[in-house]
Amino acid sequence: MLASLEGAVTAAVLALTAIGLSLVFGVMRVVNVAHGEFFMLGAVLAWWVASHVGGPPAVGFVAALVIAPLAVGALAALADMTVLKRVAYDPERTIVATIGILYILQQVTLMTYGPEARPVEAPFNTRLALPWVEWGEGGIQLYWPWGLSTTSYKLFVIGAAAAVLVGVWLLMARTRIGLLMRATQLDREMALAFGIPVERVYAMVFGIGGALAALGAVLIVPIQQAHYLMGGDPLLLSFIVVIIGGLGSLPGTVAAAVLIGLSDGIISVFFSPTLAKILATLLVALVLVFRPQGLFGTGAK
Amino acid sequence: MLELDKINAGYGRAQILRDLSLSVAPGEILCLLGRNGAGKTTTMKAIMGLLPLMSGAVRLEGREISKLPAHKVAGCGIGYIPQGRRLFGELTVAQNLEIGLRAGGSGREVLEDALDLFPRLRERMHQRAQTLSGGEQQMLATARALCVRPRILLLDEPTEGLQPSMIAAIRDVIGVMRDRGVGILLVEQRIDAVLSVADRVAFIENGRNLETLEAEALRRDHRLIETHLGV
Ligand SMILES: Nc1ncnc2c1ncn2[C@@H]1O[C@H](COP(=O)(O)OP(=O)(O)OP(=O)(O)O)[C@@H](O)[C@H]1O
Ligand SMILES: [Mg+2]
């Protein structure tokens, strides 16, 4: 129960990060190796904003929640317009280009922010005891066992991530801009022939992808700390999730994030984190062998 | 009036079109004839700005549209019905048409007009495009281009794989658009279909102009076609 709650927090943040990667791959056919660095930048910026805004921790946190994703999104859009457009979105060259972006972002952060890990204070963090249900004499009994508790902040992370995911879905399915993004994804050339400014759509999608990673990071920094090398794990896990979920499939990505996040949490608590990663990697290998289009993918494009 | 003035274009370094010139007047149907691989589809892509020109110019009513970014070409009034339909398959009929309307900056009345020409689409507005029958897909591809409110229509083998009744329906719509003063550039493999609608026929080979003839002359003398197509 506790393990699954920890897992749910991981899953929530992972879903946000992976959906960003999946969106970028789906619409632009770009494998963004620098995605984890957008995550890291979100965390570092969150620390920076929170430590420069006075007042109670909640004010700094809310400021970070707004500013960090916007700033990272703008930076990602800029990277798209200056770098990815220059290599004409060629699949191989974009991989090399995003590896370059990865190192630039990492080293600039090391030079400015430094090698320390720094925490951001959670806006609220009351401990909540969780009830446990058991059959006792005379029916169901609720009791509050020792040690079984979570914090209100962790529940907030799960709720916030779910809300953002619903927002992304609404954006894609219900809005004019979402329609243009999907048309671009389905047939780039026909999108151009029917007046869709594909370059602007690309910049926007890359920006949204970066902003989602940054948002996931802002939510996690009160639990983990901000560090310039923290982008590696989310990148790896996001790739795993996107592959299992089916490249470019949004519902598949969310389902896979829940699967990986929960099992990661549960296995890490009962066994070891290393075993969790090994099993996840094994799962990817199995999926690639038996269902290359992903568990939820709809066949090769 | 659409004019192609000695355009040279191709894919990457492979040049396909060589000094190709064409013109389509309002209310005229110009048929482009040539063997497989002659560069007919490539010509249409070059008009839409989807291929960079190496030299030459494409002009619409004197305005050099080949200088515009590709996504601005449709808005000048060119509706494109590509070979193989190329619908946005996962989107609904209504969404495909909405993209056409947006491209032309057109209002609801343009949509209503297109649906009046293809009433079968009206019943299927919320069906996904990829689940339509082949004929319905061709209707949608045509209606999507009409939603742009075109002054020029480019049709690339619109009757490929269709049964006769569907071919007749498409041909009727082409006639309606011609009568409204729309200039039409039509690529069509079937000679009889070409001769029954065309005003002029332009033959191309290896991306170059051969001759451009009045359709009337071809209707009188079928041997002209054989000499130009080499069939
Ligand atoms: N994307 C591409 N990249 C490279 N070469 C291409 C590409 N598309 C077409 N070609 C080449 O350009 C030439 C002209 O092709 P195009 O599609 O314009 O012919 P077409 O006249 O439309 O033929 P068809 O009657 O078969 O449709 C062909 O030799 C073809 O191989
Ligand atoms: Mg062709």
Side-chain angles (χ1 to χ4, degrees), chain B:
Chain B
M1 178 78 134
L2 175 75
E3 282 175 287
L4 279 65
D5 185 3
K6 294 213 162 113
I7 62 169
N8 287 278
Y11 304 92
R13 245 180 275 158
Q15 186 176 353
I16 306 293
L17 304 181
R18 295 178 173 84
D19 287 333
L20 186 76
S21 298
L22 295 172
S23 71
V24 185
E28 177 192 45
I29 299 181
L30 175 70
C31 273
L32 202 53
L33 273 184
R35 283 187 243 182
N36 292 126
K40 305 178 297 289
T41 300
T42 306
T43 304
M44 297 208 162
K45 287 189 184 175
I47 295 171
M48 295 311 294
L50 301 174
L51 294 177
L53 295 191
M54 296 163 184
S55 68
V58 180
R59 281 186 282 270
L60 181 66
E61 259 110 69
R63 180 172 178 208
E64 202 167 327
I65 57 171
S66 45
K67 287 237 168 78
L68 298 174
H71 73 268
K72 296 245 167 88
V73 172
C76 296
I78 303 190
Y80 182 28
I81 298 153
Q83 188 168 18
R85 299 163 197 139
R86 304 277 294 266
L87 297 168
F88 300 110
E90 286 179 22
L91 304 184
T92 63
V93 171
Q95 288 171 326
N96 271 277
L97 295 175
E98 187 183 338
I99 287 171
L101 291 175
R102 186 190 162 279
S106 334
R108 303 300 298 177
E109 73 287 351
V110 178
L111 175 66
E112 289 305 318
D113 180 56
L115 290 173
D116 288 341
L117 290 170
F118 296 110
R120 277 182 58 178
L121 292 178
R122 207 187 283 278
E123 304 151 21
R124 296 183 156 69
M125 288 298 271
H126 298 290
Q127 193 172 330
R128 289 210 284 174
Q130 65 196 6
T131 64
L132 295 173
S133 77
E136 289 161 354
Q137 289 192 9
Q138 189 62 50
M139 290 179 176
L140 178 55
T142 310
R144 177 177 67 173
L146 296 184
C147 281
V148 174
R149 215 175 12 169
R151 284 183 282 183
I152 297 287
L153 261 185
L154 312 179
L155 291 106
D156 198 346
E157 304 200 17
T159 59
E160 210 175 22
L162 298 186
Q163 65 192 39
S165 68
M166 206 59 88
I167 294 176
I170 300 281
R171 193 191 302 166
D172 288 348
V173 170
I174 295 176
V176 169
M177 297 321 284
R178 190 238 333 255
D179 295 344
R180 290 186 191 170
V182 175
I184 292 166
L185 180 61
L186 174 66
V187 169
E188 179 60 76
Q189 297 283 357
R190 292 167 44 258
I191 310 290
D192 54 324
V194 169
L195 291 184
S196 63
V197 295
D199 295 309
R200 287 186 303 140
V201 178
F203 292 92
I204 66 169
E205 186 178 82
N206 291 327
R208 283 179 215 276
N209 286 99
L210 291 176
E211 236 171 321
T212 301
L213 299 170
E214 296 294 325
E216 195 49 48
L218 294 174
R219 282 192 277 267
R220 279 197 307 265
D221 187 357
H222 277 235
R223 273 173 311 168
L224 280 172
I225 301 171
E226 281 144 39
T227 50
H228 284 105
L229 279 180
V231 284

Side-chain angles (χ1 to χ4, degrees), chain A residues 172-201 298 301, chain B residues 45 48 50-51 70-75 78-82 85-91 95 98-100 102-103 141 144-145 148:
Chain A
M172 292 303 283
R174 292 289 147 86
T175 66
R176 174 62 75 92
I177 183 72
L179 182 65
L180 301 190
M181 287 198 229
R182 283 194 292 155
T184 304
Q185 167 166 9
L186 291 168
D187 192 333
R188 184 194 120 88
E189 201 175 41
M190 281 309 117
L192 274 177
F194 284 89
I196 297 177
V198 167
E199 280 181 4
R200 252 180 282 159
V201 169
T298 46
K301 289 263 165 76
Chain B
K45 287 189 184 175
M48 295 311 294
L50 301 174
L51 294 177
H71 73 268
K72 296 245 167 88
V73 172
I78 303 190
Y80 182 28
I81 298 153
R85 299 163 197 139
R86 304 277 294 266
L87 297 168
F88 300 110
E90 286 179 22
L91 304 184
Q95 288 171 326
E98 187 183 338
I99 287 171
R102 186 190 162 279
R144 177 177 67 173
V148 174

